[in-house]
Amino acid sequence: MLELVVMLAGGIVAITGIPALVLSHFTINSADRLFTGKTYPNRIWYPLCVWGMGEYAIALMGFKSSKTREKYPLYFKEWKSGTWRSRWITAILISIYIPGLICFVIAMTAYWLNKLIS
């Protein structure tokens, strides 16, 4: 049963990982400016671009949290104003990075549980 969980979750990680690799290279600078107000030139290279977008996706999972609002006030200011950039980056984070990160954690947990049991 755990093998099936690993295969399904790993498949979703692979399906979301390919667009993530392509999109993060082109959207990381916009996401950096949206969330922090500045850009990080070293984040444009793989795997730092995926790691950076993953960091913002994790923050977005705590959308209602006051801690997230304190850490990224620029994002919430742009979100309230309804800018195209904030909507586009949020759509990418919700549709690609959040499912990919969740399935990655599920796949790794099931894999190691399977190794411990057998």
Side-chain angles (χ1 to χ4, degrees):
M1 181 66 177
L2 285 174
E3 293 92 358
L4 182 63
V5 171
V6 171
M7 287 189 301
L8 289 174
I12 294 171
V13 170
I15 290 168
T16 60
I18 292 168
L21 288 175
V22 174
L23 288 174
S24 59
H25 182 76
F26 298 106
T27 58
I28 188 65
N29 284 335
S30 297
D32 282 340
R33 282 192 301 275
L34 178 64
F35 278 86
T36 63
K38 52 189 170 194
T39 60
Y40 303 97
N42 61 342
R43 273 194 171 175
I44 202 162
W45 305 109
Y46 177 81
L48 295 176
C49 56
V50 176
W51 183 256
M53 292 294 278
E55 178 185 345
Y56 298 140
I58 291 169
L60 199 59
M61 284 194 278
F63 188 76
K64 298 281 186 181
S65 157
S66 61
K67 192 175 187 179
T68 304
R69 289 180 183 272
E70 290 171 11
K71 188 172 181 181
Y72 300 115
L74 291 174
Y75 172 77
F76 290 100
K77 181 180 175 187
E78 285 215 25
W79 177 260
K80 285 182 182 177
S81 67
T83 63
W84 179 84
R85 182 177 66 159
S86 69
R87 301 291 189 216
W88 175 246
I89 297 294
T90 302
I92 290 172
L93 291 173
I94 289 172
S95 63
I96 294 174
Y97 289 93
I98 290 176
L101 288 169
I102 291 170
C103 288
F104 179 75
V105 170
I106 291 170
M108 289 298 104
T109 304
Y111 175 79
W112 287 110
L113 282 174
N114 189 28
K115 288 293 184 186
L116 286 174
I117 292 171
S118 55

Coordinates of all heavy atoms in Angstrom, one line a residue, residues 25-113:
H25 N 12.2 29.8 -13.3 CA 13.3 30.6 -13.8 C 12.9 32.0 -14.3 O 13.6 32.9 -14.2 CB 14.0 29.8 -14.9 CG 15.2 30.5 -15.5 ND1 16.4 30.5 -14.8 CD2 15.4 31.1 -16.7 CE1 17.3 31.2 -15.6 NE2 16.7 31.6 -16.7
F26 N 11.7 32.0 -14.8 CA 11.2 33.3 -15.4 C 10.3 34.1 -14.5 O 10.1 35.3 -14.7 CB 10.3 32.9 -16.7 CG 11.1 32.3 -17.7 CD1 10.9 30.9 -18.0 CD2 12.1 33.0 -18.5 CE1 11.7 30.3 -19.0 CE2 12.8 32.3 -19.5 CZ 12.6 31.0 -19.7
T27 N 9.8 33.5 -13.4 CA 9.0 34.2 -12.5 C 9.6 34.6 -11.1 O 9.0 35.3 -10.3 CB 7.6 33.5 -12.3 OG1 8.0 32.2 -11.7 CG2 6.9 33.3 -13.5
I28 N 10.8 34.0 -10.8 CA 11.3 34.2 -9.5 C 11.6 35.7 -9.2 O 11.4 36.2 -8.1 CB 12.6 33.3 -9.3 CG1 13.0 33.4 -7.8 CG2 13.7 33.7 -10.2 CD1 12.0 32.8 -6.8
N29 N 12.1 36.5 -10.2 CA 12.3 37.9 -9.9 C 11.1 38.6 -9.6 O 11.0 39.5 -8.7 CB 13.1 38.5 -11.1 CG 14.5 38.1 -11.2 OD1 15.1 37.8 -10.1 ND2 15.1 38.1 -12.3
S30 N 10.0 38.4 -10.4 CA 8.7 39.0 -10.1 C 8.2 38.6 -8.7 O 7.6 39.4 -8.0 CB 7.7 38.6 -11.1 OG 8.1 39.1 -12.4
A31 N 8.3 37.3 -8.4 CA 7.9 36.8 -7.1 C 8.7 37.5 -5.9 O 8.1 37.9 -4.9 CB 8.0 35.3 -7.0
D32 N 10.0 37.6 -6.1 CA 10.8 38.2 -5.1 C 10.4 39.7 -4.9 O 10.3 40.1 -3.8 CB 12.3 38.2 -5.5 CG 13.0 36.9 -5.3 OD1 12.5 36.1 -4.5 OD2 14.0 36.7 -6.0
R33 N 10.2 40.4 -6.0 CA 9.7 41.8 -5.8 C 8.3 41.9 -5.2 O 8.1 42.8 -4.4 CB 9.7 42.5 -7.2 CG 11.1 43.0 -7.6 CD 11.0 43.9 -8.8 NE 10.3 43.3 -10.0 CZ 10.9 42.5 -10.9 NH1 12.2 42.2 -10.8 NH2 10.2 42.1 -11.9
L34 N 7.5 40.9 -5.5 CA 6.1 40.9 -5.0 C 6.1 40.6 -3.5 O 5.4 41.3 -2.7 CB 5.3 39.9 -5.7 CG 3.8 39.7 -5.2 CD1 3.0 41.0 -5.5 CD2 3.2 38.5 -6.0
F35 N 6.9 39.7 -3.0 CA 6.9 39.3 -1.6 C 7.9 40.2 -0.8 O 7.5 40.5 0.4 CB 7.3 37.8 -1.5 CG 6.2 36.9 -1.7 CD1 5.8 36.5 -3.0 CD2 5.4 36.5 -0.7 CE1 4.8 35.6 -3.2 CE2 4.3 35.6 -0.9 CZ 4.0 35.2 -2.2
T36 N 9.0 40.5 -1.3 CA 10.0 41.2 -0.4 C 10.4 42.6 -0.9 O 11.0 43.4 -0.1 CB 11.3 40.4 -0.4 OG1 11.9 40.3 -1.7 CG2 11.1 39.0 0.2
G37 N 10.0 43.0 -2.1 CA 10.3 44.3 -2.6 C 11.7 44.4 -3.3 O 12.1 45.5 -3.7
K38 N 12.5 43.4 -3.2 CA 13.8 43.4 -3.9 C 14.0 42.1 -4.6 O 13.3 41.1 -4.4 CB 14.9 43.7 -2.9 CG 14.9 42.8 -1.7 CD 15.9 43.2 -0.6 CE 15.6 42.4 0.6 NZ 16.3 43.0 1.8
T39 N 15.1 42.0 -5.4 CA 15.4 40.8 -6.1 C 16.7 40.2 -5.6 O 17.5 40.9 -5.1 CB 15.5 41.0 -7.6 OG1 16.5 41.9 -7.9 CG2 14.2 41.4 -8.2
Y40 N 16.8 38.9 -5.8 CA 18.0 38.2 -5.4 C 18.6 37.6 -6.6 O 18.1 36.6 -7.1 CB 17.7 37.1 -4.3 CG 17.0 37.7 -3.1 CD1 15.7 37.6 -3.0 CD2 17.8 38.3 -2.1 CE1 15.0 38.1 -1.9 CE2 17.2 38.8 -1.0 CZ 15.8 38.7 -0.9 OH 15.2 39.2 0.2
P41 N 19.7 38.1 -7.2 CA 20.2 37.7 -8.5 C 20.7 36.2 -8.5 O 20.6 35.6 -9.5 CB 21.4 38.6 -8.7 CG 21.3 39.7 -7.8 CD 20.4 39.3 -6.7
N42 N 21.1 35.7 -7.4 CA 21.5 34.3 -7.4 C 20.4 33.3 -7.4 O 20.6 32.1 -7.7 CB 22.4 34.0 -6.2 CG 21.7 34.2 -4.9 OD1 20.7 34.9 -4.8 ND2 22.3 33.7 -3.8
R43 N 19.2 33.8 -7.1 CA 18.0 32.9 -7.1 C 17.5 32.5 -8.5 O 16.6 31.7 -8.6 CB 16.9 33.5 -6.3 CG 16.9 33.2 -4.9 CD 15.6 33.6 -4.3 NE 15.5 33.2 -2.9 CZ 14.6 33.4 -2.1 NH1 13.5 34.1 -2.6 NH2 14.6 33.0 -0.9
I44 N 18.0 33.1 -9.5 CA 17.5 32.8 -10.9 C 18.0 31.4 -11.4 O 17.5 30.8 -12.3 CB 17.9 33.9 -11.9 CG1 16.9 33.9 -13.0 CG2 19.3 33.8 -12.3 CD1 16.9 35.1 -13.8
W45 N 19.1 30.9 -10.7 CA 19.6 29.6 -11.2 C 19.0 28.5 -10.4 O 18.8 28.5 -9.2 CB 21.2 29.6 -11.0 CG 21.7 30.8 -11.7 CD1 22.3 31.9 -11.2 CD2 21.8 31.0 -13.1 NE1 22.7 32.8 -12.1 CE2 22.4 32.3 -13.3 CE3 21.3 30.3 -14.2 CZ2 22.5 32.8 -14.6 CZ3 21.5 30.8 -15.5 CH2 22.1 32.1 -15.7
Y46 N 18.8 27.3 -11.1 CA 18.3 26.1 -10.5 C 19.3 25.6 -9.6 O 20.5 25.6 -9.9 CB 18.0 25.1 -11.6 CG 17.5 23.8 -11.1 CD1 16.2 23.6 -10.7 CD2 18.4 22.7 -10.9 CE1 15.8 22.4 -10.2 CE2 18.0 21.5 -10.4 CZ 16.7 21.4 -10.0 OH 16.3 20.2 -9.5
P47 N 19.0 25.0 -8.4 CA 17.7 24.8 -7.8 C 17.2 25.9 -6.9 O 16.2 25.8 -6.3 CB 17.9 23.6 -7.0 CG 19.3 23.7 -6.5 CD 20.1 24.4 -7.6
L48 N 18.0 27.0 -6.9 CA 17.6 28.1 -6.0 C 16.3 28.8 -6.4 O 15.5 29.3 -5.6 CB 18.7 29.2 -5.9 CG 20.0 28.7 -5.3 CD1 21.0 29.8 -5.4 CD2 19.8 28.4 -3.8
C49 N 16.0 28.8 -7.7 CA 14.7 29.4 -8.2 C 13.5 28.5 -7.7 O 12.5 29.1 -7.2 CB 14.7 29.5 -9.7 SG 15.0 28.0 -10.6
V50 N 13.6 27.2 -7.7 CA 12.6 26.3 -7.2 C 12.5 26.5 -5.7 O 11.4 26.5 -5.1 CB 12.8 24.9 -7.6 CG1 11.8 24.0 -7.0 CG2 12.8 24.8 -9.1
W51 N 13.6 26.6 -5.0 CA 13.6 26.7 -3.6 C 13.0 28.0 -3.2 O 12.2 28.1 -2.2 CB 15.0 26.7 -3.0 CG 15.1 26.7 -1.6 CD1 15.5 27.8 -0.8 CD2 14.8 25.7 -0.6 NE1 15.4 27.5 0.5 CE2 15.0 26.2 0.7 CE3 14.4 24.4 -0.8 CZ2 14.8 25.5 1.8 CZ3 14.2 23.7 0.4 CH2 14.4 24.2 1.7
G52 N 13.3 29.1 -3.9 CA 12.7 30.4 -3.6 C 11.2 30.4 -3.8 O 10.4 30.9 -3.0
M53 N 10.7 29.9 -4.9 CA 9.3 29.8 -5.2 C 8.6 28.9 -4.2 O 7.5 29.1 -3.7 CB 9.0 29.3 -6.6 CG 9.4 30.3 -7.7 SD 8.5 31.8 -7.7 CE 7.1 31.4 -8.6
G54 N 9.3 27.8 -3.8 CA 8.7 26.9 -2.7 C 8.6 27.6 -1.4 O 7.6 27.4 -0.7
E55 N 9.5 28.5 -1.1 CA 9.4 29.3 0.2 C 8.2 30.2 0.1 O 7.5 30.3 1.1 CB 10.7 30.1 0.3 CG 10.7 31.0 1.5 CD 11.9 32.0 1.5 OE1 12.9 31.7 0.8 OE2 11.9 32.9 2.3
Y56 N 7.9 30.8 -1.0 CA 6.7 31.7 -1.1 C 5.5 30.8 -1.1 O 4.4 31.3 -0.5 CB 6.8 32.5 -2.3 CG 8.0 33.5 -2.3 CD1 8.7 33.7 -3.5 CD2 8.4 34.1 -1.2 CE1 9.8 34.6 -3.5 CE2 9.5 35.0 -1.2 CZ 10.2 35.2 -2.3 OH 11.2 36.0 -2.3
A57 N 5.5 29.6 -1.7 CA 4.3 28.8 -1.6 C 4.0 28.3 -0.2 O 2.8 28.3 0.2 CB 4.6 27.5 -2.5
I58 N 5.0 28.0 0.6 CA 4.8 27.6 2.0 C 4.2 28.8 2.7 O 3.3 28.7 3.5 CB 6.1 27.1 2.6 CG1 6.5 25.8 2.0 CG2 6.0 27.0 4.1 CD1 7.9 25.3 2.3
A59 N 4.7 30.0 2.5 CA 4.2 31.2 3.1 C 2.7 31.4 2.7 O 1.9 31.8 3.5 CB 5.0 32.4 2.8
L60 N 2.4 31.2 1.5 CA 1.1 31.4 1.0 C 0.1 30.4 1.6 O -1.1 30.7 1.8 CB 1.0 31.2 -0.5 CG -0.2 31.8 -1.2 CD1 -0.3 33.3 -0.9 CD2 -0.1 31.6 -2.7
M61 N 0.6 29.2 2.0 CA -0.3 28.2 2.7 C -0.7 28.8 4.1 O -1.8 28.4 4.6 CB 0.4 26.9 2.9 CG 0.5 26.1 1.6 SD 1.0 24.4 1.9 CE 2.7 24.5 2.0
G62 N 0.0 29.7 4.7 CA -0.4 30.4 5.9 C -0.9 31.7 5.6 O -0.7 32.7 6.3
F63 N -1.8 31.8 4.5 CA -2.3 33.1 4.0 C -2.9 34.0 5.1 O -2.7 35.2 5.2 CB -3.3 32.8 2.9 CG -3.7 34.1 2.2 CD1 -2.9 34.7 1.3 CD2 -5.0 34.6 2.4 CE1 -3.3 35.8 0.6 CE2 -5.4 35.7 1.7 CZ -4.5 36.3 0.8
K64 N -3.7 33.4 6.0 CA -4.5 34.1 7.0 C -3.7 34.4 8.2 O -4.1 35.2 9.1 CB -5.8 33.4 7.4 CG -6.7 33.2 6.2 CD -7.5 34.4 6.0 CE -8.6 34.1 4.9 NZ -9.3 35.3 4.6
S65 N -2.5 33.8 8.3 CA -1.7 33.9 9.5 C -1.1 35.3 9.7 O -0.7 36.0 8.7 CB -0.5 32.9 9.4 OG 0.5 33.3 10.2
S66 N -1.1 35.8 10.9 CA -0.6 37.2 11.1 C 0.9 37.2 11.0 O 1.5 38.2 10.6 CB -1.0 37.6 12.6 OG -0.4 36.7 13.5
K67 N 1.6 36.0 11.2 CA 3.0 35.9 11.1 C 3.4 36.1 9.6 O 4.3 36.8 9.2 CB 3.5 34.6 11.6 CG 5.0 34.4 11.7 CD 5.3 33.1 12.3 CE 6.8 33.0 12.6 NZ 7.1 31.8 13.3
T68 N 2.6 35.5 8.7 CA 2.8 35.6 7.3 C 2.6 37.1 6.8 O 3.3 37.6 6.0 CB 1.9 34.7 6.5 OG1 2.1 33.3 6.9 CG2 2.2 34.7 5.0
R69 N 1.5 37.7 7.3 CA 1.2 39.1 7.0 C 2.3 40.0 7.4 O 2.6 41.0 6.8 CB -0.1 39.5 7.6 CG -1.3 38.8 6.9 CD -2.6 39.3 7.5 NE -3.7 38.6 6.9 CZ -4.3 39.0 5.8 NH1 -4.0 40.1 5.2 NH2 -5.3 38.3 5.3
E70 N 3.0 39.7 8.6 CA 4.1 40.5 9.1 C 5.3 40.3 8.2 O 6.1 41.3 8.0 CB 4.4 40.2 10.5 CG 3.3 40.7 11.5 CD 3.6 40.1 12.9 OE1 4.7 39.6 13.1 OE2 2.7 40.3 13.7
K71 N 5.6 39.1 7.8 CA 6.8 38.8 7.0 C 6.7 39.3 5.6 O 7.7 39.8 5.1 CB 7.0 37.3 7.0 CG 8.3 36.9 6.4 CD 8.6 35.4 6.5 CE 9.9 35.0 6.0 NZ 10.2 33.6 6.1
Y72 N 5.5 39.3 5.0 CA 5.4 39.8 3.6 C 4.3 40.8 3.4 O 3.3 40.6 2.8 CB 5.0 38.6 2.7 CG 6.1 37.5 2.7 CD1 5.8 36.2 3.2 CD2 7.4 37.8 2.2 CE1 6.8 35.2 3.2 CE2 8.4 36.8 2.2 CZ 8.1 35.5 2.7 OH 9.0 34.6 2.7
P73 N 4.5 42.0 4.0 CA 3.4 43.0 3.9 C 3.2 43.5 2.5 O 2.1 43.9 2.1 CB 3.9 44.1 4.8 CG 5.4 44.0 4.9 CD 5.6 42.5 4.8
L74 N 4.3 43.5 1.7 CA 4.1 44.0 0.3 C 3.2 43.1 -0.5 O 2.4 43.6 -1.3 CB 5.5 44.1 -0.4 CG 6.4 45.1 0.1 CD1 7.8 45.0 -0.5 CD2 5.9 46.5 -0.1
Y75 N 3.3 41.8 -0.3 CA 2.4 40.9 -1.0 C 0.9 41.2 -0.7 O 0.1 41.3 -1.6 CB 2.7 39.5 -0.7 CG 1.7 38.5 -1.2 CD1 1.8 38.2 -2.6 CD2 0.7 37.9 -0.5 CE1 0.9 37.3 -3.2 CE2 -0.2 37.1 -1.0 CZ -0.1 36.8 -2.4 OH -1.1 35.9 -2.9
F76 N 0.6 41.4 0.6 CA -0.8 41.6 0.9 C -1.3 43.0 0.5 O -2.5 43.1 0.1 CB -1.0 41.4 2.4 CG -0.8 40.0 2.8 CD1 0.4 39.5 3.4 CD2 -1.8 39.1 2.6 CE1 0.5 38.2 3.7 CE2 -1.7 37.8 2.9 CZ -0.5 37.3 3.5
K77 N -0.4 43.9 0.4 CA -0.8 45.3 -0.1 C -1.1 45.1 -1.6 O -2.1 45.7 -2.0 CB 0.4 46.2 0.1 CG 0.1 47.6 -0.4 CD 1.3 48.5 -0.1 CE 1.1 49.9 -0.7 NZ 2.3 50.7 -0.6
E78 N -0.3 44.5 -2.4 CA -0.6 44.3 -3.8 C -1.8 43.4 -4.0 O -2.5 43.6 -5.0 CB 0.7 43.7 -4.5 CG 1.7 44.8 -4.7 CD 2.5 44.6 -6.0 OE1 1.9 44.0 -7.0 OE2 3.6 45.0 -6.1
W79 N -1.9 42.4 -3.2 CA -3.1 41.5 -3.3 C -4.4 42.3 -3.1 O -5.4 42.1 -3.9 CB -3.0 40.4 -2.3 CG -4.2 39.4 -2.4 CD1 -5.3 39.4 -1.5 CD2 -4.4 38.4 -3.3 NE1 -6.1 38.4 -1.9 CE2 -5.7 37.8 -3.0 CE3 -3.7 37.9 -4.4 CZ2 -6.2 36.8 -3.7 CZ3 -4.2 36.9 -5.1 CH2 -5.5 36.3 -4.8
K80 N -4.4 43.2 -2.2 CA -5.6 44.0 -1.9 C -5.9 44.9 -3.1 O -7.1 45.2 -3.4 CB -5.5 44.7 -0.6 CG -5.7 43.9 0.6 CD -5.6 44.7 1.9 CE -5.8 43.8 3.1 NZ -5.6 44.5 4.3
S81 N -4.9 45.4 -3.7 CA -5.0 46.3 -4.8 C -5.4 45.6 -6.1 O -5.9 46.2 -7.1 CB -3.8 47.2 -5.1 OG -2.7 46.4 -5.5
G82 N -5.3 44.3 -6.1 CA -5.7 43.5 -7.3 C -4.9 43.6 -8.5 O -5.4 43.5 -9.6
T83 N -3.6 43.7 -8.3 CA -2.7 43.8 -9.5 C -2.6 42.5 -10.3 O -2.7 41.4 -9.7 CB -1.3 44.2 -9.1 OG1 -0.7 43.2 -8.3 CG2 -1.3 45.6 -8.4
W84 N -2.4 42.6 -11.6 CA -2.2 41.4 -12.4 C -1.1 40.5 -12.0 O -1.2 39.3 -12.0 CB -2.1 41.9 -13.9 CG -1.9 40.8 -14.8 CD1 -2.9 40.1 -15.4 CD2 -0.7 40.2 -15.3 NE1 -2.4 39.1 -16.2 CE2 -1.1 39.2 -16.2 CE3 0.6 40.4 -15.1 CZ2 -0.1 38.4 -16.8 CZ3 1.6 39.7 -15.8 CH2 1.2 38.7 -16.6
R85 N 0.0 41.2 -11.6 CA 1.2 40.4 -11.2 C 1.0 39.6 -10.0 O 1.3 38.4 -9.9 CB 2.4 41.4 -11.0 CG 3.7 40.7 -10.6 CD 4.8 41.7 -10.4 NE 4.5 42.5 -9.3 CZ 5.4 43.2 -8.7 NH1 6.7 43.2 -9.1 NH2 5.2 44.0 -7.7
S86 N 0.3 40.2 -9.0 CA 0.0 39.4 -7.8 C -0.9 38.2 -8.0 O -0.7 37.2 -7.5 CB -0.6 40.3 -6.7 OG -1.9 40.7 -7.0
R87 N -1.9 38.4 -8.9 CA -2.8 37.3 -9.2 C -2.1 36.2 -10.0 O -2.3 35.0 -9.7 CB -4.0 37.8 -10.0 CG -4.8 38.9 -9.4 CD -5.5 38.4 -8.2 NE -6.4 39.5 -7.7 CZ -6.7 39.7 -6.5 NH1 -6.2 38.9 -5.5 NH2 -7.5 40.6 -6.1
W88 N -1.2 36.6 -10.9 CA -0.5 35.6 -11.7 C 0.5 34.8 -10.9 O 0.5 33.5 -10.9 CB 0.2 36.3 -12.8 CG 1.1 35.4 -13.7 CD1 2.5 35.5 -13.7 CD2 0.7 34.4 -14.5 NE1 2.9 34.5 -14.6 CE2 1.9 33.8 -15.1 CE3 -0.5 33.8 -14.9 CZ2 1.9 32.8 -16.0 CZ3 -0.5 32.8 -15.8 CH2 0.6 32.3 -16.3
I89 N 1.2 35.4 -10.0 CA 2.2 34.7 -9.2 C 1.4 33.8 -8.2 O 1.8 32.7 -7.9 CB 3.1 35.7 -8.4 CG1 4.0 36.5 -9.4 CG2 4.0 35.0 -7.4 CD1 5.0 35.7 -10.2
T90 N 0.3 34.3 -7.6 CA -0.4 33.5 -6.7 C -1.0 32.3 -7.4 O -1.0 31.2 -6.8 CB -1.6 34.4 -6.1 OG1 -1.0 35.5 -5.4 CG2 -2.4 33.6 -5.1
A91 N -1.5 32.4 -8.6 CA -2.1 31.3 -9.4 C -1.0 30.2 -9.6 O -1.2 29.0 -9.5 CB -2.6 31.8 -10.7
I92 N 0.2 30.7 -9.9 CA 1.3 29.7 -10.2 C 1.7 29.0 -8.9 O 1.9 27.8 -8.8 CB 2.6 30.4 -10.7 CG1 2.3 30.9 -12.2 CG2 3.8 29.6 -10.7 CD1 3.4 31.8 -12.8
L93 N 1.7 29.7 -7.8 CA 2.1 29.1 -6.5 C 1.0 28.1 -6.1 O 1.3 27.0 -5.6 CB 2.3 30.2 -5.4 CG 3.5 31.1 -5.6 CD1 3.4 32.2 -4.5 CD2 4.8 30.3 -5.4
I94 N -0.3 28.5 -6.2 CA -1.3 27.6 -5.8 C -1.5 26.4 -6.7 O -1.7 25.3 -6.2 CB -2.7 28.4 -5.7 CG1 -2.6 29.3 -4.6 CG2 -3.9 27.4 -5.6 CD1 -3.8 30.3 -4.5
S95 N -1.3 26.5 -8.0 CA -1.6 25.4 -8.9 C -0.4 24.5 -9.1 O -0.5 23.3 -9.5 CB -2.0 26.0 -10.3 OG -1.0 26.7 -10.9
I96 N 0.9 25.0 -8.9 CA 2.0 24.2 -9.2 C 2.9 23.9 -7.9 O 3.1 22.7 -7.6 CB 2.9 24.8 -10.3 CG1 2.2 24.9 -11.6 CG2 4.2 24.1 -10.4 CD1 2.8 25.6 -12.7
Y97 N 3.2 24.9 -7.2 CA 4.2 24.7 -6.1 C 3.6 24.1 -4.9 O 4.2 23.2 -4.3 CB 4.9 26.0 -5.8 CG 5.8 26.4 -6.9 CD1 5.5 27.2 -7.9 CD2 7.1 25.9 -6.9 CE1 6.3 27.6 -8.9 CE2 8.0 26.2 -7.9 CZ 7.6 27.0 -8.9 OH 8.5 27.3 -9.9
I98 N 2.4 24.5 -4.5 CA 1.8 23.9 -3.3 C 1.5 22.4 -3.4 O 1.9 21.6 -2.6 CB 0.6 24.8 -2.8 CG1 1.1 26.1 -2.3 CG2 -0.2 24.0 -1.7 CD1 -0.1 27.1 -1.9
P99 N 0.8 22.0 -4.5 CA 0.6 20.6 -4.7 C 1.9 19.8 -4.8 O 2.0 18.7 -4.3 CB -0.2 20.5 -6.0 CG -0.8 21.8 -6.2 CD 0.1 22.8 -5.6
G100 N 2.9 20.4 -5.5 CA 4.2 19.7 -5.6 C 4.9 19.5 -4.3 O 5.4 18.4 -4.0
L101 N 4.9 20.5 -3.5 CA 5.5 20.4 -2.1 C 4.8 19.4 -1.2 O 5.4 18.6 -0.5 CB 5.6 21.8 -1.5 CG 6.6 22.8 -2.1 CD1 6.4 24.2 -1.5 CD2 8.0 22.3 -1.8
I102 N 3.5 19.5 -1.2 CA 2.7 18.6 -0.4 C 2.9 17.1 -0.8 O 3.2 16.2 0.0 CB 1.2 19.0 -0.4 CG1 1.0 20.3 0.3 CG2 0.4 17.8 0.2 CD1 -0.4 20.9 0.2
C103 N 2.9 16.9 -2.1 CA 3.1 15.5 -2.6 C 4.5 15.0 -2.4 O 4.8 13.9 -2.2 CB 2.7 15.4 -4.1 SG 0.9 15.5 -4.3
F104 N 5.5 15.9 -2.5 CA 6.9 15.6 -2.2 C 7.0 15.1 -0.7 O 7.6 14.1 -0.5 CB 7.8 16.8 -2.4 CG 9.2 16.5 -2.2 CD1 10.0 15.7 -3.1 CD2 9.8 17.0 -1.0 CE1 11.3 15.4 -2.8 CE2 11.2 16.7 -0.8 CZ 11.9 15.9 -1.7
V105 N 6.4 15.8 0.2 CA 6.5 15.4 1.6 C 5.8 14.1 1.8 O 6.3 13.2 2.5 CB 5.9 16.5 2.5 CG1 5.7 16.0 3.9 CG2 6.7 17.8 2.5
I106 N 4.6 13.9 1.2 CA 3.9 12.6 1.3 C 4.7 11.5 0.7 O 4.8 10.4 1.4 CB 2.5 12.7 0.6 CG1 1.6 13.7 1.4 CG2 1.9 11.4 0.5 CD1 0.3 14.0 0.7
A107 N 5.3 11.7 -0.4 CA 6.1 10.6 -1.1 C 7.3 10.2 -0.3 O 7.6 9.1 -0.1 CB 6.5 11.1 -2.5
M108 N 8.0 11.2 0.3 CA 9.2 10.9 1.1 C 8.8 10.3 2.4 O 9.5 9.3 2.8 CB 10.0 12.2 1.3 CG 10.7 12.8 0.1 SD 11.9 11.7 -0.6 CE 11.1 11.0 -2.0
T109 N 7.8 10.7 3.0 CA 7.3 10.1 4.3 C 6.9 8.6 4.0 O 7.3 7.7 4.8 CB 6.2 10.9 4.9 OG1 6.6 12.2 5.1 CG2 5.7 10.3 6.2
A110 N 6.1 8.4 3.0 CA 5.7 7.0 2.7 C 6.9 6.1 2.3 O 6.9 5.0 2.7 CB 4.7 7.0 1.6
Y111 N 7.8 6.7 1.6 CA 9.0 5.9 1.2 C 9.8 5.5 2.4 O 10.2 4.3 2.5 CB 9.9 6.8 0.2 CG 11.2 6.1 -0.1 CD1 11.2 5.1 -1.1 CD2 12.4 6.5 0.5 CE1 12.4 4.5 -1.4 CE2 13.6 5.9 0.2 CZ 13.6 4.9 -0.8 OH 14.8 4.3 -1.1
W112 N 10.0 6.4 3.3 CA 10.8 6.1 4.5 C 10.1 5.2 5.4 O 10.7 4.3 6.1 CB 11.4 7.3 5.2 CG 12.5 7.9 4.4 CD1 12.4 9.1 3.7 CD2 13.8 7.3 4.1 NE1 13.6 9.3 3.0 CE2 14.4 8.2 3.3 CE3 14.4 6.2 4.5 CZ2 15.7 8.0 2.8 CZ3 15.7 5.9 4.1 CH2 16.3 6.8 3.3
L113 N 8.8 5.3 5.5 CA 8.0 4.4 6.4 C 8.0 3.0 5.8 O 8.1 2.0 6.5 CB 6.5 4.9 6.4 CG 6.2 6.0 7.4 CD1 4.8 6.5 7.3 CD2 6.5 5.6 8.8

